Amino acid sequence: MHETTPTVHLIARPSLNLEGMRAYLADVGGEAWLERRLEASGGAPNAGEMLVEFGGRACYRSWEPGLNPNVTRVRTDRNEYFANILRSAHGSVLEHANYSFALRNVSRVFTHELVRHRAGSAFSQESLRYVRLTEIGFRVPPALEPVRDQVISIVEQLEDFQVSAAKELGIDEEGIPFHVKKEVTSALRRLAPIGLSTDIVWTANARTLRHVIEMRTAEGAEEELRTVFDSVARIMQAEAPGLFQDFAQQDDGSWVPEHRKV
């Protein structure tokens, strides 16, 4: 057994096709908005925030005053534009921006809870039908520190069983077909601890991220989830500050937005 610590890796963020945006705006009359955003960003706009703003302005044709007779004034400050979206709970436009994370050395306890947030998410998890457990990674939760030695002993016994059972069942002998190896590997995972370390790739849109960060850093949330989503919250405040500008960390470690149900 080897002890592990969960880590969070942002592996993908939105990208823009500026020529497509420019062609659309040339047709509806909002080219000046795009040029202002490009100039302000030195030609490298924040793609996630730009995509959200594009979606929001498309709803009202609010690129410039006069394009929609009902709109005589538009917010030109990007941060204030996002603040208004959050205040008015216009959360659907946040669903355009998707971010992908590789979550390393999280437990299956963690992933069982994470996949409940399936709306606005995609998941690709290490499969223990195919990946054989020759070595078990495990993190001793703080609540079990007083019985750490017993915990490690139990996990090591389960790890030894994984190796010895595979050997006794002969699945590494020459000529054993893959479907037999898969069947035995799948059966052996039933004798593995649910707290073993695993990896999962998770993609979520910004609206879902806001919800999950709030839910899973709350004081009553499971401690491993609180640890991981504290990291996610910090990443997203740096990655898309306009979309997470109303989040603040409380003394108890929870991340709470000013505007809920966005």
Side-chain angles (χ1 to χ4, degrees), residues 95-168:
E95 296 176 15
H96 292 294
N98 288 274
Y99 298 84
S100 296
F101 300 85
L103 306 179
R104 171 76 171 143
N105 284 325
V106 294
S107 71
R108 293 218 157 213
V109 173
F110 176 96
T111 62
H112 285 10
E113 295 209 26
L114 177 65
V115 298
R116 295 175 185 171
H117 299 289
R118 55 198 176 276
S121 292
F123 307 96
S124 295
Q125 184 169 1
E126 181 180 54
S127 173
L128 296 188
R129 291 192 71 197
Y130 295 91
V131 178
R132 198 183 322 162
L133 292 170
T134 57
E135 184 179 21
I136 292 178
F138 193 87
R139 170 179 171 268
V140 179
L144 296 183
E145 280 295 335
V147 290
R148 159 181 280 274
D149 291 345
Q150 293 165 259
V151 171
I152 292 175
S153 176
I154 291 169
V155 175
E156 287 181 341
Q157 289 179 54
L158 292 171
E159 181 182 77
D160 289 344
F161 172 78
Q162 294 289 323
V163 176
S164 63
K167 183 177 181 179
E168 187 172 338

Side-chain angles (χ1 to χ4, degrees), residues 43-65:
N46 182 306
E49 293 186 346
M50 188 87 154
L51 193 55
V52 168
E53 185 178 0
F54 188 95
R57 291 192 183 277
C59 292
Y60 303 102
R61 199 177 291 183
S62 60
W63 312 103
E64 302 287 344

